[in-house]
Amino acid sequence: MSTFNSFSPSRRTVLKGVGAGAALAMTGGFAGRAFAADPIKVAAVYTVPVEQQWVSRIHKAANAAKERGDIEYVFSENTANTDYERVLREYCEAGHKLILGEVFGVEDAARTVAADYPDVAFLAGSSFKPDAEKAPNFATFDNYIQDASYLTGLIAGAMTKSKNIGMVGGYPIPEVNRLMNAFIAGVKESAPDTKFQVAFIGSWFDPPKAKETAFAQIDAGADLLYAERFGVSDAAKERKVLAVGNVIDTQKDYPDTVVASALWHFEPTLDHAIAQVKAGAFKAEDYGVYSFMKNGGCSLAPLGSFDGKVPAEVMAKVAEKEKAIKDGTLTIEIDDKEPKSS
């Protein structure tokens, strides 16, 4: 599978009091521990800047929990894959009870650390499922926001005039593929004859490369772009075509460009983990369902300046489908296969 980019070991970091000398003794079995009402010490290790779309949603939810007084929160960003295991161990030694992060490129290392610290809860973004036997304290999550992505596709299909849509992603891995495929499914409902240009830039954070790739798709006839990466909406703005956002809402930044966005809300995922840790009941489980729309894990962003510009009949259909998704009568397919250009 593809991996995250490695970044320079020099990183902005919030490692207050972390290190071998700051180690705190931890006693007692994990399953039997309860943390009452005291804030939980939470640390996150990110391989990209916290400004990056995906990580920004985790960071936002953690800061919200911190402001509520549920957790104490520190983090490291731009952590190189080669440095990831060391940083994880430092946080564990410093007495943090819940560790967050994305481990797509460092899966084995992260699970090894979890096995060495059975009293620490690990909640990791991963393409793989948890293994209760080998790592009972290692739960996984992913951005299963296919519901919202499908709704943006319904809108995009109604807004493209050339019936040619460009799609720029980071890597063709499940968490990207499923969103692209759900978007494509939505587009085809509104405009069955639409063609798609699909490209992956081989990076999670390279706005110039994403922008350059988007320019090429516009030159090849695309009048709407699916912006899975930063940089794509910039290309759309410059060439005066439309874009659909992913994970975060950038409509205010691109009021004449971003027609719709699928938002990821990490709060339900994190809140469940906090509750489990406080109850002494954290275990290896798949947290993916907490990203589903019916659980509050994703939504369609407000249309902002495009409110009233999308055909009314399309928005009525979007509202109908959204209601069905929320009440469980409509299930959007989770298709992790790599999407191809048509």
Side-chain angles (χ1 to χ4, degrees), residues 19-211:
L24 300 179
M26 293 183 289
T27 59
F30 180 82
R33 302 188 68 184
F35 300 100
D38 294 334
I40 299 168
K41 291 187 67 175
V42 175
V45 185
Y46 305 125
T47 65
V48 292
V50 292
E51 292 84 6
Q52 189 256 18
Q53 302 106 296
W54 202 86
V55 160
S56 73
R57 305 306 285 177
I58 303 172
H59 188 59
K60 177 178 179 291
N63 277 316
K66 177 183 177 182
E67 290 173 8
R68 292 196 309 263
D70 288 341
I71 68 173
E72 297 175 11
Y73 172 55
V74 295
F75 66 94
S76 295
E77 61 181 335
N78 285 343
T79 306
N81 285 0
T82 53
D83 212 22
Y84 202 95
E85 182 174 346
R86 178 187 63 79
V87 177
L88 277 184
R89 290 185 183 279
E90 287 181 345
Y91 278 133
C92 290
E93 288 293 323
H96 292 88
K97 309 304 181 189
L98 174 62
I99 306 291
L100 305 173
E102 5 80 79
V103 301
F104 299 100
V106 286
E107 191 84 31
D108 291 340
R111 290 178 186 253
T112 296
V113 174
D116 290 343
Y117 293 91
D119 292 340
V120 178
F122 289 77
L123 180 58
S126 171
S127 298
F128 298 99
K129 300 300 183 183
D131 187 333
E133 286 189 16
K134 294 182 179 179
N137 58 327
F138 192 93
T140 60
F141 68 86
D142 213 338
N143 60 325
Y144 283 91
I145 64 170
Q146 66 281 343
D147 300 326
S149 296
Y150 162 78
L151 296 181
T152 64
L154 291 175
I155 294 171
M159 297 301 285
T160 174
K161 294 178 180 178
S162 68
K163 301 299 185 250
N164 185 326
I165 291 179
M167 306 183 72
V168 181
Y171 292 98
I173 63 174
E175 31 284 306
V176 175
N177 298 345
R178 72 175 66 104
L179 307 188
M180 285 187 162
N181 286 323
F183 172 81
I184 290 171
V187 170
K188 287 182 175 179
E189 279 196 36
S190 293
D193 54 342
T194 300
K195 302 298 181 184
F196 299 89
Q197 301 178 58
V198 181
F200 299 94
I201 63 172
S203 171
W204 290 125
F205 196 74
D206 191 342
K209 189 172 183 180
K211 185 177 181 180

Side-chain angles (χ1 to χ4, degrees), residues 8 12 18 29 59 61 77 91-92 108 123 154 162 173 197 226 232 239 256 267 284 297 303 308 337 342:
S8 168
R12 283 183 290 153
V18 173
H59 188 59
E77 61 181 335
Y91 278 133
C92 290
D108 291 340
L123 180 58
L154 291 175
S162 68
I173 63 174
Q197 301 178 58
Y226 178 80
V232 177
R239 295 290 182 87
D256 299 319
E267 287 79 0
L303 299 190
K337 296 190 301 293
S342 55

